[in-house]
Amino acid sequence: DIPAEDTITLTVQWLNIKSGNLGTAVYTASWVAANADVHSQQRFFYMGHNGEINVDQAHRGYSAAGDAKGSFRNINPLYMKYTVGSDGHFGGH
């Protein structure tokens, strides 16, 4: 056994030199996961001044939202699911 941590988390404070604004980022990497619907949970979340982005690569989806009314978008790439559904039929999605 190697005496190593399974998860590493960094909290970083960023400085925008031009504006002087401060930002905070949390980065986490993990090498183990419980049994789940996917082998690895590949996620990314960004929150900025005027909106946010949420990516769930494991489930092939992402969304974006801004401060403007009606700016929420659920942007999912087109892909095919080649497995048979629980009803025994091909879903084609």
Side-chain angles (χ1 to χ4, degrees):
D1 289 332
I2 298 172
E5 295 294 326
D6 295 325
T7 302
I8 295 173
T9 300
L10 301 174
T11 304
V12 180
Q13 186 175 57
W14 293 94
L15 170 65
N16 182 318
I17 296 172
K18 185 175 179 180
S19 69
N21 291 333
L22 292 175
T24 302
V26 179
Y27 304 96
T28 300
S30 190
W31 288 268
V32 297
N35 290 333
D37 60 332
V38 293
H39 176 67
S40 62
Q41 300 291 334
Q42 303 164 15
R43 294 190 175 132
F44 172 80
F45 179 75
Y46 166 81
M47 181 177 287
H49 283 266
N50 297 315
E52 65 183 47
I53 299 172
N54 192 347
V55 178
D56 183 355
Q57 180 64 28
H59 294 98
R60 296 184 179 195
Y62 61 99
S63 60
D67 289 342
K69 184 176 182 179
S71 67
F72 177 79
R73 295 175 308 227
N74 191 348
I75 310 160
N76 290 304
L78 297 175
Y79 69 96
M80 292 296 290
K81 184 175 181 182
Y82 295 102
T83 58
V84 177
S86 61
D87 62 356
H89 295 93
F90 173 69
H93 60 276

